[in-house]
Amino acid sequence: MTNALALTGIRKSFDGFLALNEAHVTVRWGEVHALLGENGAGKSSLMNIAAGLYKPEAGELLVDDNPVRLQGPRDAARHRIGMVHQHFKLVRPFTVAENILLGLAEPDPPQGYRQRLAEVAQRIRTQAEALGFAIDPLARVDSLSIAEQQRVEILKVLLAGARILILDEPTAVLTDQEAANLLTTVRTLSRQGAAVVLVTHKMADVKAYADRVTVMRGGRTVATVDPAATPVAELVRLTVGEGVPAAAGPTGARTRGAPLLSVRGLATTASGGQRALDGVDLTVHAGEIYGIAGVGGNGQGELAGAVMGLARDLNGELRLDGADLTRVPPSARHALRIAAIPADRYSHALAGTLSVAENFGIGQVQSGRYGPFAWLRQRRMALDAREAVAAFDVLGVRSVAQKAALLSGGNAQKLVIAREFSRAPRLVLAHSPSRGLDVRASAQVHARLRAARDGGAAVLLISEDLDEVLALADRIGVMARGRIVAEFDAPADRQAVGQAMTHHD
């Protein structure tokens, strides 16, 4: 079996920080090769070099056993390398077909634009059906859920003809069945001769679908092993250096406080004219975690937007402790001690070009803690940010003056939580809070949500990861077709919840 992709002796630094040092990985044709490591271990940086996004300072890249120097992503595409990023690279106002047509980059097609677009739309339908995806090629990307956008990214790479596929956390926003369908398809592609790199934190996926696994830690390659012959405990040890004890899930009814968040008949219309929310009814009490489970695209994103104050043309009731929230702007909601952890942390929670301190301090600028806006007390903001970074274990922060974009996904998420929890919240909205995070970072995020609940806050957890909902929620509401179709008390039966997610009126 020949090598499809090999990186050896790779070194890369950012702003003086050595992100990769003598990193290496070799991927063979016809295999699924998993890449494991904590957030910040260097996995994405290494794969971004393979995809032509970064240039290494040292080391060698081989494609099909031939040394190459990639000049950019299009050069990588010419070598049939395609990467599906954890944070999507889609043009939100464009349709699915328009986004994929942009990615094809075929020179001077003989037919007209409309005919070409129609042809691409048909190819999307065919490929989506093969993958088991439900995607409308004519839908605008900004009307799609996070899970649906992930599927578009996967389709874009496959339709561009990639034979070396790099998938960064591809199942993070998929349901169990969707993930199984995708990974089965990925394995089939590898058996047909493709080479697949699967960047994932899910040990079950590695054990079930990977032929080999390379583990990274601290920017270095730790080991490459056969996952079938390596116990999960050993994979965890290699990944994090030590075991991370699993927190016990909810065991039954808890003593909860009075109703805090009340949603009645909440309705809104998506850009396509269909009801995104169609009469949502739910109540979240103080001192409980209410989990929303469901297949992506059933209104979860619109519900999160409504709670954050981002929804337009909202009908129905949304009340916090009896007070109407429907027309309250997002800034005022923060003053009401509503903490928001959105699904897309880089689009809706952080400004990557601003510093860590600025991203942290912006949560209290309007409170006056840092003085008037035109003359902010930068030293006090930096001091608060340093204390929060330490308290919330935000790693990779060499200085709070560094750009937030340099943080790994897990540490960016912890920065968001540090800011949102800087004042004890009354209500916490957590939308896919551990999406793309490793075992340790996920455990820390979950611990913070439990601590907020135990401190008397009402926590609304929205997640397409059923394991996450079952582990955290005291009550579970299943969302389908824009409404709550079933509710369960913890401990809930997984099969019953799954059936409610996929079988409903």
Side-chain angles (χ1 to χ4, degrees), residues 412-433:
Q413 187 75 311
K414 286 189 279 186
L415 176 60
V416 173
I417 293 173
R419 181 188 66 215
E420 295 300 303
F421 286 17
S422 60
R423 290 184 294 176
R426 300 168 66 202
L427 171 65
V428 178
L429 166 72
H431 190 186
S432 300

Side-chain angles (χ1 to χ4, degrees), residues 39 44 83-88 150 168-169 201 345 409 435-437:
N39 292 111
S44 293
M83 182 171 179
V84 177
H85 298 268
Q86 181 180 340
H87 303 289
F88 310 138
Q150 173 84 324
D168 194 356
E169 297 290 347
H201 297 107
R345 60 190 74 109
R435 171 176 168 250
L437 306 191

